[in-house]
Amino acid sequence: MNTNGERVPSDDSDADEPSFDDPSDFVDDISDEALLSDCTIERPSLDDRMSTVIVVDNVPSVKADRLEKLRKVINKIMARFGEIVTEHYPADANGETKGYIFLEYKSAQEAANAVKTAHGYRLDKAHVFSVHAFSDFEKYSNVDEKWTVPENQKYDPQENLHSWLLNPDCVDQFAVSYAAGDRTVICSNTLPETTQVIERDHWTEGYLRWSPNGTYLATMHKQGVALWGGKGFRRIERFAHLGVKFVDFSPCERFLVTFCPQSDKEETAIIWDIRTGMKKRGFQCEDSSKWPIFKWNHDGKYFAKQGNGLISIYETQTFGLLDKKSIQAKDVQDFLWSPVDDVIAFWVPENVQNPARFTIMEIPSRNEIRFKTLFNVSTCEMYWQQKGEYLCLKVDRFASKNKKTTTANLEIFSLKEKQIPVNQVEMKGSLVSFAWEPVGPKFVTVEGTAPMQTIRFFKVEQGGTITPSKMLEKKSCNMVSWSPQGRFIVLGYLPQGLLEFCDTFDMCIMNATEHFQATDIEWDPTGRYVASQVSWWQQKSADHGYILWSFQGKLLARGTRENFCQMMWRPRPPSLLTSEDIQEIQKDMKKYQREFEVKDRMSQTKSSKELVEKRRAMMKEFTEYRRRKGEESKKKQAELVIRREAMRRPDAKDEAIEEETVEFLVSEKSVVVDKND
């Protein structure tokens, strides 16, 4: 440095150069995160990209010439869960794939859905997919080998979705929608007056639908469908399907079908898993005129869809086509599942070369257990008995060559008999209505035109023989409704509202009544009550509401509501009792007769159940009050006795006596005084 403070270069330049190296013993105690905190916050992680990648194992190993065909098959299966961005098929030195592939989806949700749904998919007998997320490899490789005892988690009790079945009086519930659908109320059938369980405004924007076993209540909204259940009817799950119009349940209540016929997307029908809320598969339905589009078998293991000249059956384990092929049935018109077996029935109309054909087929073997050839067929309708023992095929045939008139007959198939015999019943006129007895071998037909219609009852005997049992003539009837327990039936002429309650045991009319402009008739699950209703949706100018009748036709209650829309009984799940248990209960029915009579008398009185419970609570409160005051009185008496004994003892000190003067008026006398005195 010079005198001015300026640096003067020296001859030895290396000695004067500053050194920025740290000493050899220097330890840096500042981390990179502290210095570059603003950069590390946005550092990308492996999971950000790997969460969309999945690994599919147990894929067939093929050579290069068959790789393109394998890719098409895999894409057809895996693309149903979302859009596949990239795919990679590892191969060895010879060009043969190694039996596993990598797929990248557009979103992590699509990848997670593919892992959950496609895992276990059976491509063929030798290849069952094993699907995992790619991020799981890192997670499992970093598992701590030291095992630690997990902490006990607090149990969170779940909603009891079957709480309504615990009612001690086994009272059924029903849902009522009124005020043009703006208000919904759930009621209990506690006659003579129903009890309101819950009421809400704007609960649904469409119609209501109970699940088959009554566990869920489905409500319709613009954004999709919501399911409600439990004691307080809280929301269990919701399913987003914009513009949904129709909803359907599988018989096992495991799956939900939503349908929007005017959807702009490719998928107009979507099947959801109710428990997880996840989409299982979507379909583009060409023909939306028939609902339901999907028909389920009795336990929800299969569902079928009618297409152009074929019937496609899918299994719910993988939601893939059963055996990867459809049932080829050219111009098939309709099909129905058996209510209790994996059996499907369908019919194909006749053409120039072949007559019409009706077929009953077992699933999944696809064995034709019965078929019948039909001639001059105009149309057919199928009716299964609820127990699956009988199947009725109503056949309309052309009566003349010009095909302007038709005649009808019934073909009754007895599926539990050997070789499935079939018997015919000729109709005397056009068939207006047909219905099987739910739990018996009887069926009823309504023939002809009002008011000169004929109602005939038949019974299928052992061996398939059909025996007519009763005939009612000159009736006006266009619908019949059996009790869920059989025997009793309602004959209705709607919308005129004529109702007849009939006992088919001795074939007598128990009561003939009227509910003017009635649009619907619905039995409760027990078969003890039946409701007739006038819906605002069908009759704009009428007294909207419902009437509750006994199975004998006795009027029990009226429910008149403004712009009443619908009334639906809540279904009950199948009984856990066996047929032997039910027979034992019926034998011992006299034991419960007195108890039932007491409850029936209580239901016939004006006192409601709430009033009885209130009186019991008041009586209990009064009894507790009386007991408490009695104990206080006994305690005070004991204290008084002790004080008196203490005062009587000789050594007791005299207490000071206080004198008190009390003045009170004895009498009052008025004396007139003369002014002159």
Side-chain angles (χ1 to χ4, degrees):
M1 294 286 183
N2 58 12
T3 57
N4 295 330
E6 297 176 355
R7 183 178 179 181
V8 180
S10 61
D11 296 337
D12 190 1
S13 59
D14 293 338
D16 292 340
E17 284 291 334
S19 177
F20 297 98
D21 295 335
D22 294 331
S24 59
D25 58 348
F26 177 78
V27 177
D28 190 359
D29 58 351
I30 302 177
S31 62
D32 293 339
E33 286 75 7
L35 294 175
L36 304 173
S37 59
D38 56 339
C39 297
T40 56
I41 292 176
E42 300 179 358
R43 177 188 296 173
S45 63
L46 183 64
D47 293 340
D48 294 341
R49 183 65 182 272
M50 294 300 102
S51 60
T52 61
V53 179
I54 66 172
V55 182
V56 184
D57 200 2
N58 294 334
V59 177
S61 297
V62 297
K63 295 183 179 181
D65 57 341
R66 300 184 60 190
L67 180 58
E68 186 62 27
K69 183 177 181 180
L70 177 63
R71 283 180 175 175
K72 291 181 179 180
V73 173
I74 298 298
N75 286 342
K76 185 177 180 181
I77 298 172
M78 304 304 295
R80 70 181 64 167
F81 308 110
E83 181 181 351
I84 299 177
V85 180
T86 59
E87 57 184 19
H88 177 58
Y89 288 74
D92 56 15
N94 298 326
E96 185 176 356
T97 59
K98 295 183 177 181
Y100 59 89
I101 63 174
F102 299 89
L103 300 177
E104 181 183 358
Y105 284 91
K106 190 174 182 180
S107 66
Q109 179 63 31
E110 294 175 350
N113 191 14
V115 171
K116 189 168 186 179
T117 307
H119 183 71
Y121 178 83
R122 183 179 295 275
L123 185 65
D124 53 38
K125 295 181 179 180
H127 299 90
V128 179
F129 287 172
S130 178
V131 186
H132 300 277
F134 186 80
S135 57
D136 290 347
F137 288 92
E138 182 181 3
K139 179 177 67 175
Y140 294 137
S141 62
N142 296 330
V143 174
D144 190 0
E145 296 182 358
K146 184 180 179 180
W147 183 79
T148 57
V149 180
E151 296 181 359
N152 293 330
Q153 300 293 328
K154 182 180 179 182
Y155 173 71
D156 185 15
Q158 300 297 316
E159 186 80 14
N160 184 5
L161 300 180
H162 299 92
S163 59
W164 60 282
L165 295 173
L166 302 178
N167 186 287
D169 296 331
C170 300
V171 176
D172 285 291
Q173 295 182 351
F174 57 88
V176 175
S177 175
Y178 67 102
D182 290 339
R183 297 183 66 86
T184 303
V185 59
I186 310 295
C187 299
S188 293
N189 189 26
T190 53
L191 296 174
E193 295 181 0
T194 59
T195 303
Q196 178 176 309
V197 177
I198 190 172
E199 184 173 8
R200 293 179 183 174
D201 295 337
H202 308 291
W203 201 352
T204 181
E205 298 178 15
Y207 64 92
L208 302 171
R209 175 70 184 270
W210 290 108
S211 60
N213 295 334
T215 307
Y216 307 102
L217 176 66
T219 57
M220 313 292 293
H221 308 274
K222 294 180 180 179
Q223 297 80 8
V225 177
L227 297 186
W228 311 79
K231 187 175 182 180
F233 283 91
R234 68 175 182 87
R235 188 173 63 193
I236 306 300
E237 191 60 76
R238 55 183 176 181
F239 306 90
H241 191 176
L242 192 63
V244 62
K245 297 297 182 182
F246 300 98
V247 64
D248 189 26
F249 288 88
S250 64
C252 58
E253 294 188 341
R254 178 69 188 276
F255 304 105
L256 177 74
V257 182
T258 58
F259 178 61
C260 178
Q262 301 175 351
S263 177
D264 296 333
K265 299 181 180 180
E266 295 182 357
E267 299 175 346
T268 56
I270 301 177
I271 301 179
W272 309 84
D273 190 319
I274 293 178
R275 299 178 185 176
T276 62
M278 298 182 64
K279 171 184 171 182
K280 304 302 292 185
R281 183 168 179 179
F283 292 86
Q284 174 62 40
C285 301
E286 299 84 3
D287 184 11
S288 60
S289 60
K290 294 183 179 180
W291 179 257
I293 295 175
F294 304 107
K295 297 180 181 180
W296 299 82
N297 75 323
H298 66 102
D299 58 359
K301 185 178 179 180
Y302 305 106
F303 65 96
K305 172 179 172 291
Q306 180 178 329
N308 186 14
L310 50 84
I311 300 174
S312 301
I313 302 178
Y314 302 86
E315 54 180 346
T316 55
Q317 183 178 0
T318 61
F319 280 83
L321 194 63
L322 182 64
D323 296 335
K324 300 181 182 180
K325 59 182 179 180
S326 302
I327 300 175
Q328 300 296 326
K330 186 178 180 181
D331 299 329
V332 59
Q333 295 298 302
D334 196 11
F335 72 95
L336 282 179
W337 286 96
S338 167
V340 296
D341 299 312
D342 293 336
V343 173
I344 194 171
F346 60 92
W347 75 280
V348 178
E350 64 183 32
N351 52 37
V352 178
Q353 299 178 349
N354 301 312
R357 179 183 173 92
F358 174 73
T359 306
I360 303 176
M361 180 181 293
E362 288 183 334
I363 301 297
S365 64
R366 308 195 184 203
N367 294 329
E368 293 186 359
I369 59 177
R370 190 69 163 87
F371 73 89
K372 186 168 185 180
T373 303
L374 306 171
F375 298 91
N376 298 326
V377 175
S378 170
T379 184
C380 293
E381 293 182 17
M382 295 172 287
Y383 304 91
W384 278 99
Q385 187 222 24
Q386 186 172 323
K387 297 176 67 175
E389 298 177 352
Y390 308 104
L391 171 63
C392 172
L393 178 66
K394 175 210 157 186
V395 183
D396 291 329
R397 289 186 169 88
F398 294 110
S400 58
K401 293 183 178 180
N402 56 13
K403 298 184 178 181
K404 292 184 178 180
T405 60
T406 59
T407 60
N409 72 287
L410 303 179
E411 309 276 349
I412 307 298
F413 295 81
S414 301
L415 278 81
K416 301 304 179 182
E417 301 290 341
K418 292 183 179 180
Q419 299 181 351
I420 310 181
V422 57
N423 290 273
Q424 291 187 357
V425 177
E426 296 294 335
M427 297 290 98
K428 297 182 178 180
S430 60
L431 183 64
V432 179
S433 182
F434 175 92
W436 283 103
E437 184 181 19
V439 294
K442 298 179 182 178
F443 64 90
V444 59
T445 63
V446 180
E447 308 164 32
T449 57
M452 303 296 291
Q453 291 175 316
T454 302
I455 303 173
R456 294 196 293 170
F457 292 87
F458 299 87
K459 184 178 181 181
V460 184
E461 304 290 349
Q462 189 73 22
T465 305
I466 301 174
T467 304
S469 58
K470 182 67 175 180
M471 182 170 60
L472 303 176
E473 296 181 322
K474 298 181 180 180
K475 293 286 185 179
S476 296
C477 178
N478 56 10
M479 64 82 59
V480 290
S481 179
W482 284 94
S483 166
Q485 306 302 324
R487 178 173 174 176
F488 303 102
I489 191 173
V490 177
L491 309 175
Y493 188 53
L494 308 181
Q496 285 74 12
L498 302 178
L499 304 176
E500 289 186 333
F501 295 80
C502 179
D503 184 357
T504 62
F505 181 76
D506 52 5
M507 298 308 303
C508 67
I509 302 297
M510 298 180 292
N511 189 22
T513 183
E514 180 182 4
H515 186 185
F516 184 62
Q517 292 187 336
T519 57
D520 300 284
I521 293 176
E522 187 174 357
W523 286 86
D524 82 317
T526 65
R528 298 179 60 192
Y529 308 101
V530 61
S532 60
Q533 45 189 304
V534 181
S535 175
W536 175 78
W537 287 336
Q538 302 181 45
Q539 295 285 354
K540 297 298 182 181
S541 58
D543 294 334
H544 306 121
Y546 62 90
I547 297 180
L548 294 181
W549 312 83
S550 69
F551 67 94
Q552 297 170 325
K554 179 182 178 182
L555 194 152
L556 302 177
R558 291 181 180 268
T560 303
R561 295 181 180 270
E562 180 183 2
N563 292 344
F564 166 84
C565 295
Q566 66 176 141
M567 180 266 198
M568 296 180 60
W569 290 100
R570 188 172 190 174
R572 283 181 170 267
S575 176
L576 299 178
L577 299 176
T578 62
S579 58
E580 292 77 10
D581 296 334
I582 297 176
Q583 291 179 0
E584 290 296 327
I585 294 175
Q586 292 176 348
K587 291 180 181 179
D588 300 335
M589 187 61 69
K590 293 183 179 180
K591 296 181 180 179
Y592 314 110
Q593 184 175 356
R594 293 183 180 179
E595 181 181 353
F596 293 156
E597 289 178 352
V598 171
K599 290 185 177 182
D600 289 341
R601 292 194 194 101
M602 291 182 63
S603 64
Q604 294 173 1
T605 60
K606 298 296 182 180
S607 300
S608 63
K609 184 177 181 180
E610 290 79 4
L611 182 59
V612 173
E613 293 179 352
K614 183 178 179 181
R615 289 175 178 175
R616 289 177 179 174
M618 293 175 63
M619 186 64 184
K620 184 178 180 180
E621 182 180 356
F622 172 74
T623 304
E624 178 64 23
Y625 174 81
R626 183 177 179 182
R627 184 193 62 79
R628 188 172 64 253
K629 290 302 180 182
E631 292 179 354
E632 292 178 0
S633 177
K634 291 180 180 180
K635 185 177 180 181
K636 289 182 179 180
Q637 290 180 1
E639 292 177 353
L640 183 60
V641 170
I642 294 174
R643 289 179 59 186
R644 287 178 178 176
E645 291 179 353
M647 293 174 63
R648 291 172 181 173
R649 288 199 301 268
D651 56 345
K653 296 182 179 180
D654 296 336
E655 297 180 358
I657 300 176
E658 297 181 0
E659 294 183 0
E660 183 179 359
T661 303
V662 179
E663 296 181 358
F664 57 91
L665 183 64
V666 177
S667 63
E668 182 179 355
K669 183 178 182 181
S670 300
V671 178
V672 180
V673 179
D674 191 359
K675 295 181 178 180
N676 297 328
D677 292 343

